[in-house]
Amino acid sequence: MTHQITIQPSGHTYTSKAYETVLESAINAGFNIPYGCRNGACGSCKGTILSGEVDYGDYAASALSETEKAAGKALFCCSRSLTDLTIECREIKAGVIPPRIMPARVERKEQLSHDVMALFLKLPSTEHLKFMAGQYIEFLLKDGKRRAFSLANAPHVDNILELHLRLIPGGQFTNYVFNEMPDKAVLRIEAPFGSFFLREDSDRPIIMVAGGTGFAPIKGIIEHMLHNNIQRNVTLYWGARTLQDLYMPALPEAWAKVHPHIKFIPVLSDASAEDNWQGRTGFVHQAVLDDFAGVNNTGLADYEVYCCGAPGMVEVAHASFVEAGLADDAFFSDAFSYAKLVVSK
């Protein structure tokens, strides 16, 4: 069984198969609508059902409230059409890159901090992964599960993929990578995924907000900008608990030193006495508000924000930045979670 889906306001139409989510069928039809985690946890794919009925699927209660649901909202990454649909959502001008499954060999591991590992994957000589800086890959595990990690390198780095993995207590996959994965292990990946990438049709100044290993995709985007001589002003805020959690601060410090259009502001929420920290403290989103909310009485209206980190941080940042004048369609995010959250139906 198939259903016709119409996207508003563009008027684009496509056909969805019964087993496909609204998002999957849009991607298969070549339409690029926003999304992030693809498992109902982050809310990036939230849109409105204007007409028709859907099976909402499983999703995190924090990503779609009952009030939003009653108002016609749905998460397109887990909703499936039960009838013909008309939906309302933004479409991204960049073309869709269809995900592909391929093998990848572990080239090397590099310990970046006490609990962060850089994993470098080598693709076969006959393969080249086309992706946009900031997107993510998924590991296809033998038990059928998947694990998603953002790409930390830009596309011009040929045939090598860089990931930043944080060791999660009780995390099966990260424990394997840190403690058991043999040299030259071969893994299966599918990529690319996600709509967290630079909108190159804009010239607005950019505020980038990273929480923890949310620095990884932002690193990829900035390196892409530098490689392509994109001179838009960038202010990067990197939030972490303690100094050791800023696992490679020398890199953004070097960017800021060499490139006048880049500014780097690290923010610690729980600095220890041993850190002897003299920099910014508190929540990273509040540091942005302190610096920009009252600028020229326009707040954040003239900016774009790229934000990556835990769902709670991204959600609070989004709400507070919009309240401070940021246009809703100028907030781009990649919210990640370590495990599926409590789901609703």
Side-chain angles (χ1 to χ4, degrees), residues 31-113:
F31 297 114
N32 203 353
I33 64 178
Y35 72 98
C37 66
R38 295 202 310 139
N39 67 6
C42 73
S44 297
C45 64
K46 190 183 301 177
T48 305
I49 306 295
L50 298 177
S51 66
E53 297 181 4
V54 298
D55 176 350
Y56 289 87
D58 293 340
Y59 58 90
S62 60
L64 180 68
S65 69
E66 289 301 314
T67 300
E68 290 175 317
K69 192 173 174 180
K73 299 294 185 181
L75 299 176
F76 295 145
C77 73
C78 44
S79 297
R80 290 177 170 81
S81 60
L82 298 175
T83 65
D84 290 349
L85 298 177
T86 300
I87 64 174
E88 182 178 55
C89 67
R90 300 197 313 269
E91 289 184 69
I92 302 169
K93 292 181 181 180
V96 175
I97 302 174
R100 300 164 50 214
I101 295 175
M102 64 183 71
R105 189 185 73 242
V106 176
E107 182 74 4
R108 71 182 191 277
K109 297 187 293 183
E110 180 181 338
Q111 192 89 30
L112 300 179
S113 76

Side-chain angles (χ1 to χ4, degrees), residues 9-317:
S10 70
H12 291 144
T13 62
Y14 64 92
T15 298
S16 177
K17 299 179 176 64
Y19 58 84
E20 294 178 317
T21 65
V22 175
L23 173 64
E24 287 171 341
S25 55
I27 291 174
N28 291 337
F31 297 114
N32 203 353
I33 64 178
Y35 72 98
C37 66
R38 295 202 310 139
N39 67 6
C42 73
S44 297
C45 64
K46 190 183 301 177
T48 305
I49 306 295
L50 298 177
S51 66
E53 297 181 4
V54 298
D55 176 350
Y56 289 87
D58 293 340
Y59 58 90
S62 60
L64 180 68
S65 69
E66 289 301 314
T67 300
E68 290 175 317
K69 192 173 174 180
K73 299 294 185 181
L75 299 176
F76 295 145
C77 73
C78 44
S79 297
R80 290 177 170 81
S81 60
L82 298 175
T83 65
D84 290 349
L85 298 177
T86 300
I87 64 174
E88 182 178 55
C89 67
R90 300 197 313 269
E91 289 184 69
I92 302 169
K93 292 181 181 180
V96 175
I97 302 174
R100 300 164 50 214
I101 295 175
M102 64 183 71
R105 189 185 73 242
V106 176
E107 182 74 4
R108 71 182 191 277
K109 297 187 293 183
E110 180 181 338
Q111 192 89 30
L112 300 179
S113 76
H114 67 292
D115 67 348
V116 176
M117 180 81 73
L119 183 64
F120 295 88
L121 303 177
K122 177 78 171 177
L123 300 177
S125 59
T126 56
E127 297 280 3
H128 179 78
L129 178 63
K130 184 179 180 182
F131 66 94
M132 288 177 279
Q135 290 189 294
Y136 66 90
I137 73 169
E138 291 187 350
F139 289 102
L140 309 183
L141 307 184
K142 292 180 180 179
D143 60 3
K145 296 179 181 178
R146 291 172 174 247
R147 293 293 184 272
F149 294 94
S150 296
L151 290 158
N153 61 287
H156 68 270
V157 179
D158 191 48
N159 224 33
I160 291 286
L161 307 179
E162 177 184 348
L163 312 173
H164 296 171
L165 283 66
R166 184 177 298 281
L167 180 62
I168 306 304
Q172 181 180 359
F173 183 72
T174 57
N175 181 69
Y176 169 70
V177 172
F178 273 69
N179 301 312
E180 303 172 19
M181 178 181 283
D183 294 340
K184 309 303 180 184
V186 176
L187 304 166
R188 292 176 71 236
I189 65 170
E190 186 171 10
F193 292 110
S195 54
F196 188 68
F197 50 78
L198 183 68
R199 274 45 175 189
E200 298 192 31
D201 58 347
S202 171
D203 60 1
R204 288 185 177 187
I206 296 170
I207 298 169
M208 292 187 169
V209 184
T213 53
F215 174 69
I218 285 176
K219 170 182 176 291
I221 292 174
I222 292 178
E223 290 179 341
H224 167 76
M225 295 177 70
L226 294 175
H227 179 74
N228 290 280
N229 198 31
I230 297 172
Q231 295 287 317
R232 292 166 64 183
N233 287 334
V234 173
T235 305
L236 166 61
Y237 292 80
W238 189 0
R241 287 185 64 254
T242 66
L243 186 58
Q244 67 176 348
D245 296 315
L246 293 174
Y247 55 85
M248 51 190 319
L251 179 61
E253 288 170 356
W255 293 334
K257 184 176 181 179
V258 174
H259 304 283
H261 64 287
I262 297 178
K263 186 176 182 180
F264 172 50
I265 302 173
V267 183
L268 300 186
S269 63
D270 194 20
S272 65
E274 292 77 14
D275 289 338
N276 193 28
W277 180 248
Q278 303 299 314
R280 302 286 290 274
T281 59
F283 294 120
V284 67
H285 78 279
Q286 188 59 51
V288 177
L289 294 174
D290 292 344
D291 291 349
F292 286 93
V295 175
N296 299 324
N297 296 318
T298 62
L300 294 167
D302 297 329
Y303 294 85
E304 288 181 350
V305 171
Y306 290 78
C307 183
C308 184
M313 183 274 279
V314 172
E315 182 179 353
V316 170

